[in-house]
């Protein structure tokens, strides 16, 4: 398997992958579970501490409920730390991500996480196939 690693935007594929995170963040800020889940493949998986969501439908339902409840009016941001292409159409992405409550300019450390994403390109579009998140360590600013 040939891999490459990049941490700075440079290639068109890097930019396209980074755009996925911008679009999911926009859907999150809009509280739009349908638009959010549209960036996940039909068979995608999401794993969070204590949570397992198997498939796009489960992701859509969970996010719609969360946007109507505990995540209402929150915003989500991702800092891409690395993009590693395992093939021309598959990438593993590491992010430092955070969810910020309404009116909070700087989220507290306990809200920060480090995440691993697997994306693949299908029909010219990058989709999320797997997402795994864990609380960030103290090195995440």
């Amino acid at each position: 398997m040939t891999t490459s690693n990049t941490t700075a935007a440079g290639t068109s594929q890097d930019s396209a992958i980074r755009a996925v995170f911008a679009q999911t963040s926009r859907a999150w800020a809009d509280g739009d579970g349908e638009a959010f889940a549209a960036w996940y493949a039909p068979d995608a998986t999401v794993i969070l501490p204590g949570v397992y969501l198997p498939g796009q439908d489960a992701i859509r339902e969970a996010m719609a409920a969360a946007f109507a409840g505990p995540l209402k009016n929150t915003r989500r941001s991702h800092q891409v730390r690395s993009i590693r292409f395992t093939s021309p159409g598959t990438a593993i992405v590491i992010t430092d991500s955070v969810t910020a409550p309404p009116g909070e300019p700087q989220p507290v450390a306990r809200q920060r996480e480090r995440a691993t994403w697997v994306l693949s390109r299908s029909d010219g579009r990058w989709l999320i196939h797997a997402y795994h998140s864990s609380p960030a360590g103290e090195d995440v600013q």
Side-chain angles (χ1 to χ4, degrees):
M1 167 173 38
T2 302
T3 62
S4 65
N5 190 24
T6 180
T7 56
T11 70
S12 62
Q13 295 307 317
D14 286 348
S15 296
I17 287 170
R18 290 169 191 274
V20 171
F21 296 103
Q23 292 299 319
T24 58
S25 291
R26 182 170 297 129
W28 185 295
D30 292 342
D32 188 340
E34 186 72 32
F36 182 85
W39 290 99
Y40 286 78
D43 62 348
T45 56
V46 168
I47 298 176
L48 302 160
V51 175
Y52 169 62
L53 301 174
Q56 187 185 52
D57 290 340
I59 295 165
R60 180 184 304 106
E61 291 170 18
M63 294 310 294
F67 291 148
L71 297 180
K72 187 173 185 167
N73 298 321
T74 61
R75 64 190 189 289
R76 181 87 168 147
S77 64
H78 308 280
Q79 182 178 4
V80 174
R81 291 294 183 181
S82 70
I83 300 172
R84 179 170 46 117
F85 294 94
T86 59
S87 71
T90 304
I92 298 173
V93 181
I94 306 297
T95 64
D96 290 336
S97 302
V98 66
T99 302
E104 189 174 302
Q106 283 294 334
V108 296
R110 67 178 164 71
Q111 293 168 309
R112 298 182 186 282
E113 61 189 54
R114 179 131 317 142
T116 302
W117 310 75
V118 177
L119 285 78
S120 71
R121 193 175 61 224
S122 177
D123 297 325
R125 182 173 181 234
W126 287 94
L127 291 177
I128 301 162
H129 283 264
Y131 167 73
H132 179 258
S133 171
S134 65
E138 293 182 24
D139 66 329
V140 177
Q141 302 288 327

